[in-house]
Amino acid sequence: MQIALFQPDIPQNTGTILRLCACLDVAAHIIEPAGFPVSDRHFRRAGMDYLDQVAITRHASWPAFEAWRAGARARLILLTTSARMSYLDHLYDPDDVLLFGRESAGVPEKVHQAAEVRLVVPMRADMRSLNVAMAAAMVVGEAMRQIGMPARGG
């Protein structure tokens, strides 16, 4: 199980997701360009000392990420507010990559088209979206539960 962030633009959310990845022993991918430098103090503060404990792969672009994914033969699961299927109704595989879009704009159509599966976190109709770090925690937790993937020491 892996998490990928498409051109993240809020450093605090990215740091929080990377901390989640470190704690759950889940690899992380950042698809550039990010909207902030990795030296950003908000990013470092949110990730705390956990950033040294997570396997992070940075991809220079979407095509570079897709080339990596083709070689890894990993299924791409896009989390998007425009999907119809709930993340709770999907059967996950240990090789899945859970992709989360930019907080400000989601992902472009070419990314939607590349995803084998598109899922949504169900919520009230009058709400726009969850915080991306909250959504990542919910989805990776369910995926790990399904595949019986324990965290380190678990």
PDB file of all heavy atoms in Angstrom, residues 113-148:
ATOM      1  N   GLN A 113      -8.390  10.004 -15.939  1.00  0.00           N
ATOM      2  CA  GLN A 113      -8.425   8.954 -16.956  1.00  0.00           C
ATOM      3  C   GLN A 113      -7.400   7.851 -16.696  1.00  0.00           C
ATOM      4  O   GLN A 113      -7.625   6.696 -17.052  1.00  0.00           O
ATOM      5  CB  GLN A 113      -8.215   9.556 -18.347  1.00  0.00           C
ATOM      6  CG  GLN A 113      -9.327  10.494 -18.770  1.00  0.00           C
ATOM      7  CD  GLN A 113     -10.693   9.836 -18.756  1.00  0.00           C
ATOM      8  OE1 GLN A 113     -10.870   8.722 -19.219  1.00  0.00           O
ATOM      9  NE2 GLN A 113     -11.677  10.534 -18.208  1.00  0.00           N
ATOM     10  N   ALA A 114      -6.295   8.188 -16.080  1.00  0.00           N
ATOM     11  CA  ALA A 114      -5.245   7.197 -15.815  1.00  0.00           C
ATOM     12  C   ALA A 114      -5.588   6.266 -14.655  1.00  0.00           C
ATOM     13  O   ALA A 114      -5.052   5.165 -14.569  1.00  0.00           O
ATOM     14  CB  ALA A 114      -3.920   7.907 -15.523  1.00  0.00           C
ATOM     15  N   ALA A 115      -6.467   6.705 -13.784  1.00  0.00           N
ATOM     16  CA  ALA A 115      -6.811   5.901 -12.602  1.00  0.00           C
ATOM     17  C   ALA A 115      -7.678   4.712 -12.985  1.00  0.00           C
ATOM     18  O   ALA A 115      -8.656   4.855 -13.717  1.00  0.00           O
ATOM     19  CB  ALA A 115      -7.538   6.767 -11.579  1.00  0.00           C
ATOM     20  N   GLU A 116      -7.315   3.548 -12.473  1.00  0.00           N
ATOM     21  CA  GLU A 116      -8.130   2.356 -12.708  1.00  0.00           C
ATOM     22  C   GLU A 116      -9.422   2.406 -11.905  1.00  0.00           C
ATOM     23  O   GLU A 116     -10.432   1.846 -12.312  1.00  0.00           O
ATOM     24  CB  GLU A 116      -7.354   1.084 -12.336  1.00  0.00           C
ATOM     25  CG  GLU A 116      -6.289   0.681 -13.323  1.00  0.00           C
ATOM     26  CD  GLU A 116      -4.938   1.327 -13.058  1.00  0.00           C
ATOM     27  OE1 GLU A 116      -4.832   2.197 -12.167  1.00  0.00           O
ATOM     28  OE2 GLU A 116      -3.993   0.981 -13.768  1.00  0.00           O
ATOM     29  N   VAL A 117      -9.355   3.067 -10.751  1.00  0.00           N
ATOM     30  CA  VAL A 117     -10.512   3.157  -9.855  1.00  0.00           C
ATOM     31  C   VAL A 117     -10.586   4.580  -9.322  1.00  0.00           C
ATOM     32  O   VAL A 117      -9.564   5.183  -8.998  1.00  0.00           O
ATOM     33  CB  VAL A 117     -10.372   2.161  -8.674  1.00  0.00           C
ATOM     34  CG1 VAL A 117     -11.538   2.273  -7.716  1.00  0.00           C
ATOM     35  CG2 VAL A 117     -10.211   0.739  -9.179  1.00  0.00           C
ATOM     36  N   ARG A 118     -11.809   5.098  -9.219  1.00  0.00           N
ATOM     37  CA  ARG A 118     -12.047   6.403  -8.609  1.00  0.00           C
ATOM     38  C   ARG A 118     -13.017   6.212  -7.452  1.00  0.00           C
ATOM     39  O   ARG A 118     -14.088   5.622  -7.623  1.00  0.00           O
ATOM     40  CB  ARG A 118     -12.606   7.383  -9.641  1.00  0.00           C
ATOM     41  CG  ARG A 118     -11.534   7.853 -10.621  1.00  0.00           C
ATOM     42  CD  ARG A 118     -12.077   8.625 -11.794  1.00  0.00           C
ATOM     43  NE  ARG A 118     -12.804   7.837 -12.781  1.00  0.00           N
ATOM     44  CZ  ARG A 118     -12.262   6.944 -13.613  1.00  0.00           C
ATOM     45  NH1 ARG A 118     -10.981   6.689 -13.561  1.00  0.00           N
ATOM     46  NH2 ARG A 118     -12.998   6.306 -14.481  1.00  0.00           N
ATOM     47  N   LEU A 119     -12.628   6.710  -6.270  1.00  0.00           N
ATOM     48  CA  LEU A 119     -13.422   6.522  -5.059  1.00  0.00           C
ATOM     49  C   LEU A 119     -13.682   7.859  -4.379  1.00  0.00           C
ATOM     50  O   LEU A 119     -12.922   8.810  -4.560  1.00  0.00           O
ATOM     51  CB  LEU A 119     -12.681   5.604  -4.078  1.00  0.00           C
ATOM     52  CG  LEU A 119     -12.309   4.220  -4.578  1.00  0.00           C
ATOM     53  CD1 LEU A 119     -11.454   3.491  -3.546  1.00  0.00           C
ATOM     54  CD2 LEU A 119     -13.557   3.416  -4.915  1.00  0.00           C
ATOM     55  N   VAL A 120     -14.720   7.881  -3.558  1.00  0.00           N
ATOM     56  CA  VAL A 120     -15.072   9.077  -2.810  1.00  0.00           C
ATOM     57  C   VAL A 120     -15.238   8.714  -1.335  1.00  0.00           C
ATOM     58  O   VAL A 120     -15.594   7.582  -1.004  1.00  0.00           O
ATOM     59  CB  VAL A 120     -16.381   9.709  -3.366  1.00  0.00           C
ATOM     60  CG1 VAL A 120     -17.588   8.810  -3.138  1.00  0.00           C
ATOM     61  CG2 VAL A 120     -16.612  11.090  -2.788  1.00  0.00           C
ATOM     62  N   VAL A 121     -14.950   9.675  -0.477  1.00  0.00           N
ATOM     63  CA  VAL A 121     -15.291   9.552   0.937  1.00  0.00           C
ATOM     64  C   VAL A 121     -16.675  10.182   1.071  1.00  0.00           C
ATOM     65  O   VAL A 121     -16.825  11.386   0.858  1.00  0.00           O
ATOM     66  CB  VAL A 121     -14.275  10.278   1.843  1.00  0.00           C
ATOM     67  CG1 VAL A 121     -14.722  10.217   3.297  1.00  0.00           C
ATOM     68  CG2 VAL A 121     -12.885   9.675   1.678  1.00  0.00           C
ATOM     69  N   PRO A 122     -17.711   9.371   1.369  1.00  0.00           N
ATOM     70  CA  PRO A 122     -19.062   9.922   1.442  1.00  0.00           C
ATOM     71  C   PRO A 122     -19.184  10.948   2.568  1.00  0.00           C
ATOM     72  O   PRO A 122     -18.611  10.778   3.642  1.00  0.00           O
ATOM     73  CB  PRO A 122     -19.943   8.710   1.736  1.00  0.00           C
ATOM     74  CG  PRO A 122     -19.094   7.514   1.539  1.00  0.00           C
ATOM     75  CD  PRO A 122     -17.674   7.949   1.650  1.00  0.00           C
ATOM     76  N   MET A 123     -19.933  11.983   2.290  1.00  0.00           N
ATOM     77  CA  MET A 123     -20.170  13.017   3.299  1.00  0.00           C
ATOM     78  C   MET A 123     -21.452  13.762   2.946  1.00  0.00           C
ATOM     79  O   MET A 123     -22.068  13.496   1.917  1.00  0.00           O
ATOM     80  CB  MET A 123     -18.982  13.964   3.381  1.00  0.00           C
ATOM     81  CG  MET A 123     -18.669  14.660   2.107  1.00  0.00           C
ATOM     82  SD  MET A 123     -17.163  15.601   2.302  1.00  0.00           S
ATOM     83  CE  MET A 123     -17.038  16.242   0.666  1.00  0.00           C
ATOM     84  N   ARG A 124     -21.832  14.680   3.777  1.00  0.00           N
ATOM     85  CA  ARG A 124     -23.045  15.463   3.549  1.00  0.00           C
ATOM     86  C   ARG A 124     -22.987  16.166   2.201  1.00  0.00           C
ATOM     87  O   ARG A 124     -21.945  16.689   1.805  1.00  0.00           O
ATOM     88  CB  ARG A 124     -23.206  16.511   4.644  1.00  0.00           C
ATOM     89  CG  ARG A 124     -23.575  15.958   5.967  1.00  0.00           C
ATOM     90  CD  ARG A 124     -23.660  16.981   7.063  1.00  0.00           C
ATOM     91  NE  ARG A 124     -23.983  18.346   6.628  1.00  0.00           N
ATOM     92  CZ  ARG A 124     -24.016  19.378   7.449  1.00  0.00           C
ATOM     93  NH1 ARG A 124     -23.749  19.218   8.733  1.00  0.00           N
ATOM     94  NH2 ARG A 124     -24.313  20.576   7.003  1.00  0.00           N
ATOM     95  N   ALA A 125     -24.107  16.219   1.536  1.00  0.00           N
ATOM     96  CA  ALA A 125     -24.177  16.823   0.206  1.00  0.00           C
ATOM     97  C   ALA A 125     -23.876  18.320   0.223  1.00  0.00           C
ATOM     98  O   ALA A 125     -23.399  18.864  -0.769  1.00  0.00           O
ATOM     99  CB  ALA A 125     -25.544  16.572  -0.414  1.00  0.00           C
ATOM    100  N   ASP A 126     -24.132  18.979   1.333  1.00  0.00           N
ATOM    101  CA  ASP A 126     -23.918  20.423   1.381  1.00  0.00           C
ATOM    102  C   ASP A 126     -22.497  20.814   1.793  1.00  0.00           C
ATOM    103  O   ASP A 126     -22.196  21.984   1.979  1.00  0.00           O
ATOM    104  CB  ASP A 126     -24.936  21.096   2.306  1.00  0.00           C
ATOM    105  CG  ASP A 126     -24.852  20.597   3.739  1.00  0.00           C
ATOM    106  OD1 ASP A 126     -24.406  19.451   3.957  1.00  0.00           O
ATOM    107  OD2 ASP A 126     -25.241  21.358   4.650  1.00  0.00           O
ATOM    108  N   MET A 127     -21.614  19.826   1.901  1.00  0.00           N
ATOM    109  CA  MET A 127     -20.220  20.086   2.236  1.00  0.00           C
ATOM    110  C   MET A 127     -19.357  19.869   1.002  1.00  0.00           C
ATOM    111  O   MET A 127     -19.599  18.964   0.211  1.00  0.00           O
ATOM    112  CB  MET A 127     -19.744  19.170   3.364  1.00  0.00           C
ATOM    113  CG  MET A 127     -20.441  19.435   4.661  1.00  0.00           C
ATOM    114  SD  MET A 127     -19.977  21.083   5.157  1.00  0.00           S
ATOM    115  CE  MET A 127     -20.806  21.263   6.671  1.00  0.00           C
ATOM    116  N   ARG A 128     -18.308  20.687   0.863  1.00  0.00           N
ATOM    117  CA  ARG A 128     -17.458  20.631  -0.335  1.00  0.00           C
ATOM    118  C   ARG A 128     -16.469  19.480  -0.300  1.00  0.00           C
ATOM    119  O   ARG A 128     -16.368  18.700  -1.235  1.00  0.00           O
ATOM    120  CB  ARG A 128     -16.738  21.975  -0.492  1.00  0.00           C
ATOM    121  CG  ARG A 128     -15.998  22.135  -1.785  1.00  0.00           C
ATOM    122  CD  ARG A 128     -15.522  23.563  -1.993  1.00  0.00           C
ATOM    123  NE  ARG A 128     -14.876  24.139  -0.823  1.00  0.00           N
ATOM    124  CZ  ARG A 128     -13.566  24.095  -0.595  1.00  0.00           C
ATOM    125  NH1 ARG A 128     -12.768  23.504  -1.443  1.00  0.00           N
ATOM    126  NH2 ARG A 128     -13.061  24.644   0.482  1.00  0.00           N
ATOM    127  N   SER A 129     -15.675  19.395   0.792  1.00  0.00           N
ATOM    128  CA  SER A 129     -14.678  18.333   0.856  1.00  0.00           C
ATOM    129  C   SER A 129     -14.089  18.246   2.255  1.00  0.00           C
ATOM    130  O   SER A 129     -14.172  19.190   3.040  1.00  0.00           O
ATOM    131  CB  SER A 129     -13.545  18.579  -0.151  1.00  0.00           C
ATOM    132  OG  SER A 129     -12.824  19.748   0.195  1.00  0.00           O
ATOM    133  N   LEU A 130     -13.479  17.113   2.531  1.00  0.00           N
ATOM    134  CA  LEU A 130     -12.732  16.917   3.766  1.00  0.00           C
ATOM    135  C   LEU A 130     -11.313  17.439   3.594  1.00  0.00           C
ATOM    136  O   LEU A 130     -10.822  17.557   2.468  1.00  0.00           O
ATOM    137  CB  LEU A 130     -12.621  15.423   4.087  1.00  0.00           C
ATOM    138  CG  LEU A 130     -13.845  14.727   4.645  1.00  0.00           C
ATOM    139  CD1 LEU A 130     -13.607  13.225   4.640  1.00  0.00           C
ATOM    140  CD2 LEU A 130     -14.131  15.204   6.054  1.00  0.00           C
ATOM    141  N   ASN A 131     -10.645  17.676   4.683  1.00  0.00           N
ATOM    142  CA  ASN A 131      -9.222  17.955   4.647  1.00  0.00           C
ATOM    143  C   ASN A 131      -8.532  16.727   4.042  1.00  0.00           C
ATOM    144  O   ASN A 131      -8.848  15.584   4.392  1.00  0.00           O
ATOM    145  CB  ASN A 131      -8.734  18.224   6.077  1.00  0.00           C
ATOM    146  CG  ASN A 131      -7.252  18.363   6.162  1.00  0.00           C
ATOM    147  OD1 ASN A 131      -6.529  17.375   6.103  1.00  0.00           O
ATOM    148  ND2 ASN A 131      -6.793  19.582   6.313  1.00  0.00           N
ATOM    149  N   VAL A 132      -7.591  16.927   3.143  1.00  0.00           N
ATOM    150  CA  VAL A 132      -6.954  15.822   2.435  1.00  0.00           C
ATOM    151  C   VAL A 132      -6.218  14.871   3.388  1.00  0.00           C
ATOM    152  O   VAL A 132      -6.201  13.657   3.173  1.00  0.00           O
ATOM    153  CB  VAL A 132      -6.032  16.331   1.302  1.00  0.00           C
ATOM    154  CG1 VAL A 132      -4.796  17.023   1.847  1.00  0.00           C
ATOM    155  CG2 VAL A 132      -5.646  15.207   0.355  1.00  0.00           C
ATOM    156  N   ALA A 133      -5.637  15.396   4.452  1.00  0.00           N
ATOM    157  CA  ALA A 133      -4.943  14.522   5.409  1.00  0.00           C
ATOM    158  C   ALA A 133      -5.937  13.635   6.159  1.00  0.00           C
ATOM    159  O   ALA A 133      -5.654  12.463   6.425  1.00  0.00           O
ATOM    160  CB  ALA A 133      -4.112  15.354   6.384  1.00  0.00           C
ATOM    161  N   MET A 134      -7.106  14.185   6.484  1.00  0.00           N
ATOM    162  CA  MET A 134      -8.150  13.384   7.141  1.00  0.00           C
ATOM    163  C   MET A 134      -8.635  12.282   6.202  1.00  0.00           C
ATOM    164  O   MET A 134      -8.794  11.134   6.606  1.00  0.00           O
ATOM    165  CB  MET A 134      -9.325  14.275   7.547  1.00  0.00           C
ATOM    166  CG  MET A 134      -8.983  15.314   8.576  1.00  0.00           C
ATOM    167  SD  MET A 134      -8.743  14.596  10.189  1.00  0.00           S
ATOM    168  CE  MET A 134     -10.410  14.175  10.596  1.00  0.00           C
ATOM    169  N   ALA A 135      -8.883  12.641   4.948  1.00  0.00           N
ATOM    170  CA  ALA A 135      -9.346  11.657   3.969  1.00  0.00           C
ATOM    171  C   ALA A 135      -8.295  10.567   3.776  1.00  0.00           C
ATOM    172  O   ALA A 135      -8.627   9.379   3.709  1.00  0.00           O
ATOM    173  CB  ALA A 135      -9.661  12.344   2.643  1.00  0.00           C
ATOM    174  N   ALA A 136      -7.033  10.946   3.707  1.00  0.00           N
ATOM    175  CA  ALA A 136      -5.964   9.953   3.536  1.00  0.00           C
ATOM    176  C   ALA A 136      -5.945   8.975   4.704  1.00  0.00           C
ATOM    177  O   ALA A 136      -5.809   7.764   4.506  1.00  0.00           O
ATOM    178  CB  ALA A 136      -4.614  10.654   3.392  1.00  0.00           C
ATOM    179  N   ALA A 137      -6.085   9.481   5.915  1.00  0.00           N
ATOM    180  CA  ALA A 137      -6.076   8.603   7.093  1.00  0.00           C
ATOM    181  C   ALA A 137      -7.250   7.633   7.065  1.00  0.00           C
ATOM    182  O   ALA A 137      -7.088   6.442   7.360  1.00  0.00           O
ATOM    183  CB  ALA A 137      -6.109   9.448   8.365  1.00  0.00           C
ATOM    184  N   MET A 138      -8.418   8.127   6.691  1.00  0.00           N
ATOM    185  CA  MET A 138      -9.596   7.257   6.628  1.00  0.00           C
ATOM    186  C   MET A 138      -9.410   6.146   5.599  1.00  0.00           C
ATOM    187  O   MET A 138      -9.650   4.972   5.876  1.00  0.00           O
ATOM    188  CB  MET A 138     -10.831   8.090   6.297  1.00  0.00           C
ATOM    189  CG  MET A 138     -11.227   9.061   7.388  1.00  0.00           C
ATOM    190  SD  MET A 138     -12.474  10.255   6.857  1.00  0.00           S
ATOM    191  CE  MET A 138     -13.897   9.175   6.644  1.00  0.00           C
ATOM    192  N   VAL A 139      -8.970   6.520   4.419  1.00  0.00           N
ATOM    193  CA  VAL A 139      -8.875   5.560   3.313  1.00  0.00           C
ATOM    194  C   VAL A 139      -7.748   4.552   3.537  1.00  0.00           C
ATOM    195  O   VAL A 139      -7.935   3.354   3.359  1.00  0.00           O
ATOM    196  CB  VAL A 139      -8.731   6.288   1.967  1.00  0.00           C
ATOM    197  CG1 VAL A 139      -8.533   5.287   0.830  1.00  0.00           C
ATOM    198  CG2 VAL A 139      -9.961   7.161   1.711  1.00  0.00           C
ATOM    199  N   VAL A 140      -6.577   5.021   3.934  1.00  0.00           N
ATOM    200  CA  VAL A 140      -5.474   4.080   4.152  1.00  0.00           C
ATOM    201  C   VAL A 140      -5.796   3.148   5.327  1.00  0.00           C
ATOM    202  O   VAL A 140      -5.437   1.967   5.308  1.00  0.00           O
ATOM    203  CB  VAL A 140      -4.111   4.778   4.315  1.00  0.00           C
ATOM    204  CG1 VAL A 140      -3.922   5.390   5.687  1.00  0.00           C
ATOM    205  CG2 VAL A 140      -2.977   3.813   4.009  1.00  0.00           C
ATOM    206  N   GLY A 141      -6.514   3.645   6.320  1.00  0.00           N
ATOM    207  CA  GLY A 141      -6.920   2.789   7.431  1.00  0.00           C
ATOM    208  C   GLY A 141      -7.825   1.664   6.976  1.00  0.00           C
ATOM    209  O   GLY A 141      -7.644   0.506   7.364  1.00  0.00           O
ATOM    210  N   GLU A 142      -8.797   1.978   6.144  1.00  0.00           N
ATOM    211  CA  GLU A 142      -9.698   0.946   5.613  1.00  0.00           C
ATOM    212  C   GLU A 142      -8.953  -0.025   4.710  1.00  0.00           C
ATOM    213  O   GLU A 142      -9.139  -1.237   4.788  1.00  0.00           O
ATOM    214  CB  GLU A 142     -10.867   1.589   4.857  1.00  0.00           C
ATOM    215  CG  GLU A 142     -11.761   0.605   4.119  1.00  0.00           C
ATOM    216  CD  GLU A 142     -12.459  -0.422   5.003  1.00  0.00           C
ATOM    217  OE1 GLU A 142     -12.510  -0.247   6.239  1.00  0.00           O
ATOM    218  OE2 GLU A 142     -12.955  -1.426   4.448  1.00  0.00           O
ATOM    219  N   ALA A 143      -8.091   0.498   3.863  1.00  0.00           N
ATOM    220  CA  ALA A 143      -7.332  -0.376   2.958  1.00  0.00           C
ATOM    221  C   ALA A 143      -6.447  -1.335   3.755  1.00  0.00           C
ATOM    222  O   ALA A 143      -6.393  -2.536   3.462  1.00  0.00           O
ATOM    223  CB  ALA A 143      -6.482   0.471   2.009  1.00  0.00           C
ATOM    224  N   MET A 144      -5.782  -0.822   4.773  1.00  0.00           N
ATOM    225  CA  MET A 144      -4.911  -1.677   5.595  1.00  0.00           C
ATOM    226  C   MET A 144      -5.726  -2.712   6.368  1.00  0.00           C
ATOM    227  O   MET A 144      -5.308  -3.858   6.515  1.00  0.00           O
ATOM    228  CB  MET A 144      -4.080  -0.822   6.546  1.00  0.00           C
ATOM    229  CG  MET A 144      -3.023  -0.006   5.822  1.00  0.00           C
ATOM    230  SD  MET A 144      -2.080   1.059   6.918  1.00  0.00           S
ATOM    231  CE  MET A 144      -1.061  -0.164   7.747  1.00  0.00           C
ATOM    232  N   ARG A 145      -6.891  -2.322   6.841  1.00  0.00           N
ATOM    233  CA  ARG A 145      -7.759  -3.278   7.547  1.00  0.00           C
ATOM    234  C   ARG A 145      -8.145  -4.420   6.617  1.00  0.00           C
ATOM    235  O   ARG A 145      -8.060  -5.584   6.979  1.00  0.00           O
ATOM    236  CB  ARG A 145      -9.017  -2.563   8.049  1.00  0.00           C
ATOM    237  CG  ARG A 145      -9.952  -3.477   8.855  1.00  0.00           C
ATOM    238  CD  ARG A 145     -11.327  -2.866   9.027  1.00  0.00           C
ATOM    239  NE  ARG A 145     -12.062  -2.781   7.780  1.00  0.00           N
ATOM    240  CZ  ARG A 145     -12.703  -3.800   7.195  1.00  0.00           C
ATOM    241  NH1 ARG A 145     -12.682  -5.013   7.746  1.00  0.00           N
ATOM    242  NH2 ARG A 145     -13.362  -3.627   6.060  1.00  0.00           N
ATOM    243  N   GLN A 146      -8.531  -4.078   5.406  1.00  0.00           N
ATOM    244  CA  GLN A 146      -8.962  -5.102   4.448  1.00  0.00           C
ATOM    245  C   GLN A 146      -7.863  -6.081   4.091  1.00  0.00           C
ATOM    246  O   GLN A 146      -8.098  -7.278   3.987  1.00  0.00           O
ATOM    247  CB  GLN A 146      -9.469  -4.450   3.169  1.00  0.00           C
ATOM    248  CG  GLN A 146     -10.847  -3.896   3.255  1.00  0.00           C
ATOM    249  CD  GLN A 146     -11.339  -3.454   1.898  1.00  0.00           C
ATOM    250  OE1 GLN A 146     -10.886  -3.933   0.851  1.00  0.00           O
ATOM    251  NE2 GLN A 146     -12.286  -2.534   1.898  1.00  0.00           N
ATOM    252  N   ILE A 147      -6.661  -5.570   3.873  1.00  0.00           N
ATOM    253  CA  ILE A 147      -5.596  -6.467   3.406  1.00  0.00           C
ATOM    254  C   ILE A 147      -4.790  -7.069   4.554  1.00  0.00           C
ATOM    255  O   ILE A 147      -3.868  -7.838   4.314  1.00  0.00           O
ATOM    256  CB  ILE A 147      -4.670  -5.759   2.393  1.00  0.00           C
ATOM    257  CG1 ILE A 147      -3.936  -4.586   3.017  1.00  0.00           C
ATOM    258  CG2 ILE A 147      -5.451  -5.331   1.166  1.00  0.00           C
ATOM    259  CD1 ILE A 147      -2.946  -3.929   2.093  1.00  0.00           C
ATOM    260  N   GLY A 148      -5.161  -6.712   5.785  1.00  0.00           N
ATOM    261  CA  GLY A 148      -4.463  -7.282   6.939  1.00  0.00           C
ATOM    262  C   GLY A 148      -3.028  -6.823   7.035  1.00  0.00           C
ATOM    263  O   GLY A 148      -2.136  -7.575   7.427  1.00  0.00           O
TER     264      GLY A 148
END
